[in-house]
Amino acid sequence: MSSQTKKTLPNVLDHEMWRPHLENADYAQSVPSGIEARVRKIEEESAIRDLMVKYCYSYDSNNVDGVISVFDKDCVLVNPRGTFVGSDAVRRCYDHLTTTRRYSFHHVTNGTIRLSDDMTEAVTTTYWTDKHVGPTGAIDGSDGTYADHLRKVGAEWKITERRITANIFCVITPLPDA
C-alpha cells in the first residue's frame, strides 16, 4: 500500500452503537506478503484474543489488578457509568463494579480484529453476554458490545480506548433443585 492511501482504523469511541462494529467488519485489511509476515499477523491476532480472554477471566474473578493489566496507563474507558481516563480512574471503576457482585461469567463473541499495516495498532469489536451472581445470590444477566483500540507497547498489546455498551438486562430465576 502506498503512503498516499494509508488507511485509518475505525474510531471505537464513536457514540453511535453500531458504527464501529460495521466499520470494523468492512475494514479491508492488507494481506501481508511472505510467509513470515502472514505468520506474524496470525500471532498478533492470537495475542489480542488472549488479552480479551485475560480481561474476561480477571473481571469475572474480581481480579482488578488483572483487569488493569490489559489497559494502557493513559487509557480511555467509556461505559454506561461514565468516562474514565487513565489507569487510576479505570481502577476505581472496576473496584466499584467488582464489589457489587460475587462473580460473573462473560462470553465474548462475534469478534473482529483489524490490524494496522505495521501491526502496531488494532481495533477489535465484539458482543458480550454475562451472568452476575450478586451479594445475596440473586442472578441477573446483561448483553452489550465492546469496541477497543489497542496499541503494541513493547512486546504486549494494551487497550488504549474501550467503549462498552450495555443493551439488554434481565433477572434470571434459577431452576429449583431437582
Side-chain angles (χ1 to χ4, degrees):
M1 172 176 300
S2 76
S3 61
Q4 296 173 345
T5 59
K6 185 173 186 214
K7 299 177 292 189
T8 354
L9 292 168
N11 173 9
V12 301
L13 295 181
D14 189 315
H15 288 284
E16 184 177 312
M17 185 172 100
W18 296 113
R19 186 175 301 148
H21 300 271
L22 293 169
E23 287 180 1
N24 212 28
D26 286 342
Y27 183 81
Q29 292 196 112
S30 302
V31 176
S33 60
I35 192 71
E36 285 102 10
R38 288 177 183 219
V39 168
R40 178 175 173 222
K41 181 176 183 287
I42 292 167
E43 290 173 340
E44 299 297 354
E45 289 172 347
S46 180
I48 290 169
R49 282 186 193 87
D50 286 348
L51 182 83
M52 304 306 274
V53 169
K54 179 179 181 179
Y55 167 83
C56 289
Y57 287 168
S58 295
Y59 180 54
D60 289 342
S61 66
N62 298 329
N63 175 357
V64 176
D65 288 337
V67 170
I68 296 307
S69 75
V70 306
F71 287 97
D72 183 71
K73 63 182 177 55
D74 298 318
C75 59
V76 176
L77 170 67
V78 178
N79 67 23
R81 295 188 64 239
T83 299
F84 304 87
V85 179
S87 57
D88 289 341
V90 171
R91 176 179 292 279
R92 284 190 300 276
C93 174
Y94 283 99
D95 280 339
H96 169 78
L97 292 171
T98 58
T99 59
T100 62
R101 61 185 171 74
R102 290 185 195 167
Y103 57 87
S104 62
F105 289 96
H106 276 77
H107 304 275
V108 178
T109 63
N110 292 23
T112 58
I113 298 172
R114 301 297 185 248
L115 291 160
S116 62
D117 288 340
D118 64 1
M119 293 189 241
T120 61
E121 293 185 71
V123 168
T124 67
T125 51
T126 55
Y127 294 164
W128 59 266
T129 184
D130 77 339
K131 311 303 177 280
H132 298 80
V133 177
T136 66
I139 303 172
D140 61 36
S142 53
D143 298 271
T145 65
Y146 294 132
D148 298 321
H149 182 255
L150 299 96
R151 184 168 293 121
K152 193 88 183 259
V153 178
E156 294 184 312
W157 285 98
K158 297 288 184 177
I159 298 171
T160 59
E161 298 173 339
R162 168 168 271 188
R163 183 180 54 79
I164 302 172
T165 67
N167 306 92
I168 299 172
F169 299 94
C170 61
V171 173
I172 300 170
T173 305
L175 294 173
D177 290 340

